[in-house]
Amino acid sequence: MSDNVAILGELGITPKSVRKNWNEALLYETSIAAGEARVAEGGPLVVETGQHTGRSAKDKFTVRDETTENTVWWDNNASMTPAHFDTLLEDFATHLASQDVFSQDLFGGADPAHRLPVTVITEYAWHSLFIRHLLRIPTASEYETFDSQFTIINCPSFRADPARHGTRSETVIAVNFAKRMVLIGGTSYAGETKKSVFTALNYYLPPKGVMPMHCSVNTSPADDAAIFFGLSGTGKTTLSADASRILIGDDEHGWSENGLFNFEGGCYAKMIKLSAEAEPEIYATTKQWGTVLENVVMDPDTRILDLDDATLAENSRGAYPISAIPNASLSGRCGQPKNLIMLTADAFGVMPPIAKLTPAQAMYHFLSGYTAKVAGTEKGVTEPTATFSTCFGGPFMPRHPSEYGNLLRELIGKYNVNCWLVSTGWTGGPYGTGHRMPIKATRALLNAALDGSLNKVAFRKDETFGFLVPEELPGVDAKILNPRSTWADGAAYDAQAAKLADMFVANFAKFEAYVDDAVKAAAPKATTPA
């Protein structure tokens, strides 16, 4: 069994005590006794993260050294010197010397051939419970042979010193691939730990020919798996939690010669305005013991939750083991995919609810990663804002996008995967004028894509974007399939579509040197009206 005390000792860290691999009941009890959390009706644990209710993307740094100089995409990753990291580690050690910490030995990845054994050290009991939900718990025999290959230390009470540590503020997420560790300080938002594991897998897997993906995956008893790409708030969790299909995972996966595999053992779902009707499986987790609810408002007397109240955060979250979803796969593995869906919350209201992509178009849209940052997922974002996040996960991509893009395109071709672009954003106009795409329509179109029936309908070619759009589908209002027809002013739609096309072309300029002519030709027409 991995000796967490020895691991910390090697790092020069000697906490007051290390509470190793405590189970859910012990962590629950301790977090409440310590005043970290409260219990809501039904049994979920309710916590507040204070100042940080989302990721602190600008406070994340990667150590630039001989290991990373030529492997990390420095245009996208802020650097930290080895000396600054060493000083930070020394100060972490001093800070933790009087602390009782919690540790978990866990796996990042369900495929034994490609998983990463991780040791997570936390200051809070609820953080230990959170990551125990989100990663994969070893079996008794796996604990006996556990050989940790990566360490994460999360200490919210630590405050970085910009002058001493080379940080931007008192908050820090410092990644050191050479030392195979991450230091997190000054933030209680638990998502930082989860995304640190994802960042590590995004770095270590591509050289092995394994594609790491910010996506959800589901399949059917016939093993016709589907991949759902999309940033937070675009519907990955909601759309993959389909009672008629088997959920493999809701956020992070790998694609290897063995098929698809979940990086995680749980789910981290947005809770704000969660609907019992539209998302019954996820809603049920808010009423059960074990779930960790971040920044969800609760009546202090009745302990009843108000999921519509965004007083604490627009980005309220729920963490729970994947076993809480009735139709989820506990193995976290399935075969090769049949369909690949890219989700976008189009804030401009010009994208159709679904479009069929050629492999070259899929490559173009994957590298573009167009969507809208949804309120609350990052500090300072208070309303949806159009953005491009390469590979639908730019903040977590340490390597150059071309590495992930070329690997994805190779796998799409090798396994003959159908590719679709789905907008869960606005229709009838842009944000502020139009309204969100009806989720029932999105589900109907997705179901038709997954069962193959959508391939049998008539399609039209979109004049601006070049992809194919279905003209009709039984049970879906044909009007929303043609976005221009939902706008009161067709000329205004044309101008908005052209503006978005220009944005695509401008954003993609940095990738043109890394793609072939077929991918370049997949660009939308940049013809902004005078």
Side-chain angles (χ1 to χ4, degrees):
M1 184 181 290
S2 174
D3 189 336
N4 304 130
V5 177
I7 289 173
L8 289 171
E10 291 173 3
L11 298 173
I13 297 174
T14 54
K16 183 179 178 182
S17 69
V18 179
R19 301 168 181 181
K20 183 178 179 180
N21 294 327
W22 275 19
N23 65 18
E24 292 79 1
L26 280 169
L27 294 170
Y28 228 72
E29 184 178 85
T30 303
S31 65
I32 295 167
E36 298 175 0
R38 297 171 294 163
V39 178
E41 179 190 42
L45 207 63
V46 178
V47 299
E48 295 181 15
T49 62
Q51 176 187 0
H52 297 279
T53 59
R55 291 182 295 103
S56 297
K58 294 180 180 179
D59 293 307
K60 182 178 180 180
F61 300 88
T62 300
V63 174
R64 191 166 189 163
D65 54 20
E66 291 181 0
T67 300
T68 58
E69 180 63 42
N70 298 314
T71 56
V72 167
W73 180 29
W74 293 113
D75 290 346
N76 188 61
N77 292 272
S79 64
M80 174 179 279
T81 67
H84 275 139
F85 184 89
D86 289 344
T87 300
L88 183 67
L89 180 57
E90 290 174 8
D91 291 348
F92 258 70
T94 300
H95 186 83
L96 290 170
S98 61
Q99 300 265 4
D100 296 309
V101 301
F102 302 85
S103 72
Q104 294 287 339
D105 288 326
L106 302 161
F107 290 120
D111 185 343
H114 301 297
R115 67 191 180 189
L116 179 68
V118 181
T119 295
V120 180
I121 309 296
T122 64
E123 178 182 7
Y124 295 159
W126 80 263
H127 273 179
S128 194
L129 175 62
F130 168 90
I131 203 62
R132 189 173 169 87
H133 283 340
L134 266 295
L135 294 186
R136 303 191 67 85
I137 301 172
T139 62
S141 60
E142 287 171 339
Y143 269 132
E144 292 301 323
T145 57
F146 194 90
D147 182 18
S148 183
Q149 298 296 311
F150 202 81
T151 303
I152 297 172
I153 302 176
N154 189 328
C155 186
S157 67
F158 181 87
R159 296 291 181 268
D161 179 345
R164 180 172 169 79
H165 303 127
T167 60
R168 187 185 70 97
S169 70
E170 292 184 337
T171 301
V172 62
I173 302 94
V175 184
N176 191 320
F177 288 118
K179 292 189 174 182
R180 302 179 75 89
M181 67 182 305
V182 176
L183 300 176
I184 302 170
T187 172
S188 295
Y189 180 65
E192 298 287 11
T193 303
K194 163 188 154 66
K195 289 304 183 185
S196 293
V197 178
F198 187 39
T199 298
L201 289 164
N202 281 333
Y203 183 79
Y204 295 123
L205 289 181
K208 300 172 65 177
V210 179
M211 177 69 189
M213 302 176 292
H214 183 206
C215 70
S216 57
V217 171
N218 67 24
T219 189
S220 74
D223 202 21
D224 59 346
I227 297 169
F228 295 79
F229 281 111
L231 296 182
S232 297
T234 57
K236 287 196 326 299
T237 300
T238 300
L239 294 170
S240 58
D242 185 333
S244 67
R245 292 174 64 83
I246 301 164
L247 179 69
I248 301 301
D250 83 323
D251 198 44
E252 300 167 3
H253 293 80
W255 186 355
S256 75
E257 72 282 0
N258 302 320
L260 303 174
F261 64 99
N262 195 353
F263 285 167
E264 302 180 317
C267 303
Y268 192 36
K270 288 198 75 171
M271 291 288 135
I272 194 69
K273 295 181 174 61
L274 188 66
S275 165
E277 178 184 4
E279 301 153 302
E281 296 88 0
I282 302 172
Y283 184 84
T285 68
T286 68
K287 304 292 185 181
Q288 66 185 31
W289 188 93
T291 298
V292 178
L293 297 174
E294 276 185 308
N295 302 312
V296 172
V297 174
M298 177 182 70
D299 186 295
D301 297 321
T302 65
R303 301 302 176 105
I304 294 174
L305 303 173
D306 185 352
L307 299 177
D308 294 328
D309 191 334
T311 302
L312 295 176
E314 183 74 24
N315 189 40
S316 55
R317 292 271 177 170
Y320 47 87
I322 201 165
S323 58
I325 301 298
N327 60 318
S329 164
L330 298 185
S331 73
R333 301 175 65 184
C334 64
Q336 301 296 344
K338 183 177 179 181
N339 289 282
L340 184 153
I341 296 100
M342 298 183 192
L343 298 165
T344 177
D346 173 32
F348 286 106
V350 299
M351 290 283 194
I354 195 165
K356 191 171 186 179
L357 306 176
T358 65
Q361 288 170 337
M363 186 74 267
Y364 186 93
H365 284 279
F366 178 71
L367 287 176
S368 298
Y370 168 66
T371 190
K373 284 182 180 177
V374 180
T377 35
E378 290 186 15
K379 284 189 66 181
V381 179
T382 57
E383 63 180 40
T385 306
T387 188
F388 292 90
S389 182
T390 183
C391 307
F392 293 98
F396 324 114
M397 299 295 175
R399 295 180 178 273
H400 192 277
S402 61
E403 288 194 50
Y404 306 106
N406 288 330
L407 186 53
L408 182 71
R409 189 180 185 189
E410 177 186 335
L411 291 167
I412 288 172
K414 183 176 182 179
Y415 297 106
N416 193 29
V417 181
N418 293 312
C419 299
W420 308 89
L421 182 67
V422 171
S423 176
T424 60
W426 281 257
T427 182
Y431 170 77
T433 301
H435 56 86
R436 287 301 291 261
M437 198 72 69
I439 191 169
K440 289 184 178 180
T442 301
R443 284 196 182 278
L445 290 163
L446 272 178
N447 289 339
L450 298 181
D451 67 21
S453 60
L454 195 58
N455 289 315
K456 301 174 184 177
V457 306
F459 286 81
R460 65 174 178 84
K461 185 176 181 179
D462 187 275
E463 292 184 2
T464 301
F465 296 95
F467 42 49
L468 297 179
V469 182
E471 294 182 344
E472 62 179 358
L473 183 75
V476 176
D477 182 0
K479 190 176 181 180
I480 69 168
L481 294 172
N482 185 351
R484 192 177 191 274
S485 71
T486 68
W487 284 51
D489 183 346
Y493 168 86
D494 293 338
Q496 191 75 86
K499 178 181 177 181
L500 181 56
D502 283 337
M503 292 176 65
F504 265 95
V505 172
N507 171 75
F508 203 81
K510 59 182 174 288
F511 301 128
E512 288 190 348
Y514 300 93
V515 301
D516 61 22
D517 290 342
V519 177
K520 292 177 185 177
K525 296 178 182 178
T527 54
T528 302

